[in-house]
Amino acid sequence: MEFLCLICTERAYEELQPHEAARQLDEYVAFMNDIRESGHYVGCNRLLPAANAVTLRVREGKLSTTDGPFAETKEQLGGYFVLEARDLNEAIRIAAKIPGARHGCVEVRPIAERLLDPDALHVTEVPTHTEMR
């Protein structure tokens, strides 16, 4: 099963002092080597700072854009990993080793196993919380 690990941080890589950036890069390279060797690596990338982002909305057929991220927050999405793991518990154990988890946070989210199927979107009955366990 694949999991998306969204890495949030208060400071983008470009905002770090050179010695901090070099140390962080070394930590990420070591982490990537470990998960490649263990077979958990699927993909990853770093994102440019939030100042480079554009948020868009389409309402009544009209496009509107706003510079930067939608939410006003100190933390910004800095990058992501896609991991292969047996289950959520294993994904959390692996994601806890992402260097950014020590400075910000990492959201771990399962990736749907198939592309959107229009027929699957027709929900006739919503399960209760206890039925979902």
Side-chain angles (χ1 to χ4, degrees):
M1 182 172 202
E2 290 184 352
F3 293 86
L4 178 63
C5 301
L6 299 168
I7 305 164
C8 297
T9 183
E10 287 187 21
R11 292 179 17 197
Y13 182 80
E14 289 79 3
E15 298 168 352
L16 299 175
Q17 295 296 319
H19 71 280
E20 290 177 289
R23 181 183 47 77
Q24 193 174 88
L25 180 60
D26 289 344
E27 292 174 354
Y28 273 97
V29 168
F31 174 73
M32 288 189 333
N33 288 337
D34 286 348
I35 64 173
R36 278 190 172 118
E37 286 178 23
S38 67
H40 294 104
Y41 178 84
V42 176
C44 71
N45 214 329
R46 180 176 67 85
L47 300 176
L48 293 176
N52 295 287
V54 173
T55 300
L56 69 89
R57 293 175 181 76
V58 177
R59 300 292 184 268
E60 298 178 15
K62 294 182 183 176
L63 171 66
S64 68
T65 61
T66 306
D67 290 341
F70 169 68
E72 288 294 325
T73 179
K74 284 185 178 182
E75 289 185 336
Q76 58 182 305
L77 187 56
Y80 65 91
F81 278 90
V82 177
L83 304 176
E84 179 69 36
R86 223 176 14 259
D87 55 29
L88 181 59
N89 289 330
E90 183 179 39
I92 290 169
R93 183 183 57 74
I94 297 164
K97 296 176 185 174
I98 294 174
R102 294 190 308 272
H103 311 289
C105 68
V106 176
E107 178 182 337
V108 180
R109 194 181 294 191
I111 297 175
E113 293 192 20
R114 60 185 178 135
L115 295 176
L116 283 180
D117 177 359
D119 294 331
L121 296 178
H122 300 291
V123 178
T124 57
E125 194 173 327
V126 178
T128 65
H129 181 68
T130 53
E131 292 175 323
M132 294 174 71
R133 288 187 178 169

